[in-house]
Amino acid sequence: EQGRALDLEDKDRDLRNLEANYFWHDGLFIVAERDGQLIGMLAGRKNSKSDEILDLKRLVVTTGARRRGVAKALVKTMLFFAQNMEYK
C-alpha cells in the first residue's frame, strides 16, 4: 500500500490472526493472485452494532496491479459472499 511495509505490531496487527479478527466475526478475507503473486486483498467483518451489515475493513491492491479491475473484482466477490451470508 503506497510502498509502506506491513506493521504487524500496530496498524496491521489484525493480519496476525485472520481467524480471530475476521472469520470468527462472520467475516471474510479474500486475496487476488496473478501468476502466483499476491496482487490484492480484501477483508470484511460483521458490524459491531448491526448483524445485518458487513463492514469493509481492508482493500489493498499492489501498485503494479492498479487500474486493472482488481479492486472491483474483490468488491464484487465480497458483495456476492455478503448476500449469501444474509447481510443486507
Side-chain angles (χ1 to χ4, degrees), residues 28-32 40-44 56 58-60 71 74-76 78:
L28 51 95
F29 191 89
I30 305 167
V31 297
M41 68 177 169
L42 178 147
L56 174 63
R58 291 184 168 273
L59 177 57
V60 178
L74 286 167
V75 171
K76 279 186 172 185
M78 178 184 173

Side-chain angles (χ1 to χ4, degrees), residues 17-75:
N17 190 339
L18 298 178
E19 290 86 5
N21 290 303
Y22 295 103
F23 302 125
W24 294 349
H25 292 276
D26 296 326
L28 51 95
F29 191 89
I30 305 167
V31 297
E33 294 182 0
R34 181 179 295 134
D35 299 325
Q37 297 293 315
L38 178 70
I39 61 169
M41 68 177 169
L42 178 147
R45 63 189 270 178
K46 182 173 33 178
N47 182 282
S48 62
K49 295 180 182 172
S50 173
D51 290 345
E52 298 178 336
I53 298 172
L54 180 66
D55 288 332
L56 174 63
K57 293 294 190 178
R58 291 184 168 273
L59 177 57
V60 178
V61 176
T62 61
T63 303
R66 291 185 184 157
R67 304 183 79 60
R68 298 185 180 179
V70 176
K72 184 176 184 177
L74 286 167
V75 171

